[in-house]
Amino acid sequence: MPSSSADPSPTGREPKRLPRHPASRLAERWTTVDGIDMFYRESPVPPDAPVMLHLHGFGLSGRYLLPTAERLMDDFHTFVPDLPGYGLSGKPAKALDVPGLAHAAARFLDDRGVQSATLVGNSMGCPVILEFAHLFPERIDRAILVSPAGGLHNQPLTRAISQLTIDGKREPREMMGIAAPDYLRFGVQSTVKMFRSLTRYPSLERLLALTIPTLAVVGSRDPLMPSPSRIQEVARHTDNQVLLVVIEGAAHAINFSHPGELAHVIRQFMADEAITDDPDSPGEARAYEIHRGASHPPATDQDLPDS
């Protein structure tokens, strides 16, 4: 049986304490997976709906994903874990690379008794999803890739650091209060190792091999990503099920900065609806579709930019 925050630790240790101040309406819990204490958040009253697993980015915890996850928790059985080595979760003896994190995500779902799920990732979470789909294709229903960084555009490390510095100035100030302690906890040595894993990972090859409905969302002001026009140019050479959406005005951490727009797009994608701007987020940003793979249903009444 899966263990929860109310259960004794399977290792015989005392259960871990929860944060004093909850960060959202999602329930905060601990479990132990392969001997590692994992902190996670979950829909407090899981709806009778498909499971949605949110995976965080490089050096961060799942906390910055909460604004979007919270907006979706009534529609999907929502999980937001801190992967091993990140956030409040324990550190494995050896830092996990991209395949290791994909295995950890699968083991977390095993622990929660979940057979398959839709995976939502930001930044590093996207390569983890691509590897999860490669390793466990029968366990992923749909893939949602938000700001899928980690390719040649982010190399070398000095360039990536410069891009992160620029991005920090474009994110809401509140993001720094979450990111700074997460990065300090993650550490310099882990940063170098994980960067090497990301730069060696064949993200584009894995993306083109996907056979499930996939949503990719990019921000028009994201310095860690190529321009939307360049991404659109690459996408035109594919005929798989990738749906590409731009959120105008957003930078890299879209899950935190533009949760209303992103949650609206995710709901439309999950329902196989045409992508339209969110009427409940007026003036904040504009979401629009720039590519729909040949396997997707045709869009109607679409607010498309001029090509």
Side-chain angles (χ1 to χ4, degrees):
M1 291 291 291
S3 60
S4 71
S5 59
D7 298 328
S9 169
T11 63
R13 294 172 289 178
E14 289 295 320
K16 300 282 287 185
R17 291 185 178 181
L18 297 173
R20 182 174 299 178
H21 302 291
S24 77
R25 292 188 297 120
L26 291 161
E28 299 184 333
R29 295 170 176 158
W30 286 95
T31 190
T32 304
V33 179
D34 294 335
I36 297 174
D37 292 322
M38 282 189 66
F39 177 74
Y40 69 100
R41 296 176 172 94
E42 181 182 5
S43 306
V45 181
D48 185 16
V51 173
M52 186 168 282
L53 177 68
H54 297 251
L55 298 178
H56 55 75
F58 183 44
L60 297 167
S61 68
R63 187 176 177 185
Y64 79 104
L65 303 178
L66 296 179
T68 296
E70 190 174 24
R71 282 167 169 79
L72 295 168
M73 72 181 193
D74 294 330
D75 301 304
F76 305 96
H77 184 174
T78 300
F79 290 97
V80 188
D82 289 355
L83 293 170
Y86 296 79
L88 297 180
S89 292
K91 293 182 179 292
K94 183 179 179 181
L96 301 180
D97 56 9
V98 171
L101 291 172
H103 277 282
R107 294 290 294 120
F108 173 77
L109 291 178
D110 290 341
D111 179 75
R112 297 293 87 208
V114 175
Q115 178 57 39
S116 67
T118 289
L119 272 59
V120 183
N122 173 255
S123 195
M124 179 200 75
C126 299
V128 174
I129 290 174
L130 293 174
E131 184 64 12
F132 185 103
H134 174 69
L135 296 171
F136 313 106
E138 74 286 353
R139 301 195 64 180
I140 182 167
D141 302 323
R142 293 185 174 219
I144 299 173
L145 313 175
V146 184
S147 308
L152 292 173
H153 186 70
N154 305 129
Q155 299 179 36
L157 179 57
T158 52
R159 183 180 187 184
I161 292 173
S162 175
Q163 292 168 335
L164 285 169
T165 301
I166 295 171
D167 181 66
K169 299 175 182 178
R170 298 179 180 179
E171 301 290 356
R173 291 182 179 180
E174 296 83 359
M175 181 67 188
M176 184 56 65
I178 296 174
D182 282 348
Y183 282 133
L184 287 173
R185 190 181 293 115
F186 189 60
V188 175
Q189 186 176 9
S190 297
T191 295
V192 174
K193 288 182 178 180
M194 192 64 232
F195 181 78
R196 288 174 179 168
S197 178
L198 283 172
T199 56
R200 295 171 181 171
Y201 185 74
S203 292
L204 183 58
E205 176 185 329
R206 292 283 192 264
L207 177 62
L208 296 178
L210 285 178
T211 58
I212 55 172
T214 301
L215 169 67
V217 183
V218 297
S220 65
R221 301 184 70 240
D222 185 354
L224 285 96
M225 294 291 297
S227 68
S229 60
R230 173 58 182 156
I231 297 172
Q232 182 183 32
E233 180 183 337
V234 174
R236 282 174 173 165
H237 296 287
T238 71
D239 59 359
N240 59 11
Q241 299 189 53
V242 174
L243 173 64
L244 180 58
V245 171
V246 174
I247 296 185
E248 194 173 85
H252 194 63
I254 300 174
N255 311 59
F256 184 83
S257 63
H258 293 76
E261 293 285 0
L262 180 57
H264 181 71
V265 168
I266 288 174
R267 288 193 195 94
Q268 291 179 317
F269 165 72
M270 295 297 291
D272 290 324
E273 297 175 353
I275 302 301
T276 59
D277 197 39
D278 181 14
D280 295 325
S281 301
E284 293 184 15
R286 185 169 70 96
Y288 53 87
E289 176 184 322
I290 62 173
H291 173 78
R292 177 174 290 252
S295 299
H296 270 281
T300 57
D301 298 326
Q302 201 64 303
D303 181 18
L304 291 172
D306 295 332
S307 299

